[in-house]
Amino acid sequence: MVTFYGRSFESRFLIGTARYPSPEALRQSVIRSGAEIVTVSLRRESVGGAKAGHAFWDLVKSLGVAVLPNTAGCHGVREAVTTAKMAREVFGTPWIKLEVIGDDETLQPDPFGLVEAARALVADGFEVFPYTTDDLVLCERLVEAGCRVLMPWGAPIGTGRGLNNPYALKLLRRRFPDIPLVVDAGLGAPSHAAAAMEMGYDAILLNTAVATAGDPPAMAEAFAEAIRAGRRAHEAGLMAETDLAQPSTPVFGAPFSPFSG
């Protein structure tokens, strides 16, 4: 079970709702993922006019999941804060996945704008889920700003490269033992998700790897299984790595032959 801002969930899989080939593919992917939280962009909800927006929102509501609105595509503090306030009105939740993009090529967050926006939103009563890099100092500043969840990337959004910097991710886990940590962005295969969960991360958020798969619902299920396996492995306790081989079968005494002597 994972807890975000006082709300507990059985599933450790948060799934995005963009880029699916059809509404039915989205619906089946969410169901087979077992996710209890979906991310929704205010821009995505509004695409295609009011009719399309209402149809999309009706689909999301029919799934019976919690909604995490995001400020996807925002490039400045004012834009992100304004979008967050609009999302709170539209979706009726204080939750916000905060994105303040600083670079168009990598979609890397603007660290200065992210902290400033987080501080403003927390002061306004929001419960902020910041999309951030794996930079330790930046994450400390976000916690100081009032964020009670951190969402570091594994790799740039949509790249599918997996965990680019395992050392930094492990360091974050050690430094923030009591803060829920969610790997968000860059995961391309279920094995990437399992590796993050084996490190002790609390949850995984992804979209592209499922939505663009040949069979999105099947891929959603594969990720769900990997997330569960990774978490179980972490809880069971992984064996320590060693430089030298160690026999797995114990050997007692010296070899002997019943025909000797």
Side-chain angles (χ1 to χ4, degrees):
M1 184 170 290
V2 62
T3 301
F4 301 122
Y5 290 104
R7 298 179 64 182
S8 297
F9 301 88
E10 293 290 339
S11 175
R12 295 175 180 272
F13 190 0
L14 290 69
I15 194 167
T17 56
R19 302 187 64 181
Y20 289 84
S22 68
E24 182 60 18
L26 166 59
R27 189 177 75 85
Q28 288 297 328
S29 295
V30 174
I31 291 172
R32 290 178 63 177
S33 73
E36 298 171 86
I37 302 172
V38 300
T39 60
V40 178
S41 167
L42 183 63
R43 289 173 172 80
R44 169 64 181 84
E45 194 274 339
S46 302
V47 165
K51 185 176 181 180
H54 284 304
F56 172 77
W57 185 218
D58 288 342
L59 170 60
V60 171
K61 288 189 291 185
S62 74
L63 295 168
V65 293
V67 173
L68 175 59
N70 67 41
T71 62
C74 292
H75 286 72
V77 174
R78 173 179 284 186
E79 183 184 13
V81 170
T82 299
T83 301
K85 291 179 179 179
M86 293 172 61
R88 180 167 58 183
E89 294 300 318
V90 171
F91 300 111
T93 176
W95 280 13
I96 193 70
K97 178 189 170 186
L98 178 61
E99 297 183 26
V100 183
I101 301 303
D103 181 78
D104 288 332
E105 183 175 353
T106 64
L107 300 181
Q108 180 171 327
D110 171 358
F112 309 102
L114 183 63
V115 172
E116 184 180 346
R119 187 175 291 113
L121 290 172
V122 168
D124 195 29
F126 282 88
E127 295 172 341
V128 179
F129 295 66
Y131 162 63
T132 178
T133 64
D134 51 28
D135 182 88
L136 175 62
V137 176
L138 171 56
C139 288
E140 288 180 334
R141 296 295 180 269
L142 289 167
V143 171
E144 290 170 2
C147 297
R148 296 295 172 258
V149 177
L150 294 171
M151 303 180 74
W153 67 359
I157 294 173
T159 61
R161 296 179 60 86
L163 307 180
N164 270 358
N165 193 342
Y167 170 78
L169 292 171
K170 290 177 182 178
L171 182 59
L172 289 180
R173 181 68 287 176
R174 291 196 300 270
R175 183 61 62 91
F176 302 107
D178 300 320
I179 296 287
L181 299 181
V182 183
V183 171
D184 174 16
L187 305 188
S191 57
H192 299 157
M197 297 303 292
E198 288 170 2
M199 291 179 186
Y201 273 69
D202 296 282
I204 300 294
L205 194 162
L206 59 86
N207 188 165
T208 306
V210 169
T212 63
D215 185 341
M219 186 60 76
E221 187 172 348
F223 268 99
E225 291 170 352
I227 290 167
R228 286 193 292 270
R231 182 65 188 183
R232 287 171 183 162
H234 171 72
E235 292 174 344
L238 296 169
M239 66 174 288
E241 294 183 3
T242 65
D243 293 327
L244 300 176
Q246 299 184 30
S248 58
T249 302
V251 177
F252 296 98
F256 71 95
S257 169
F259 303 104
S260 62

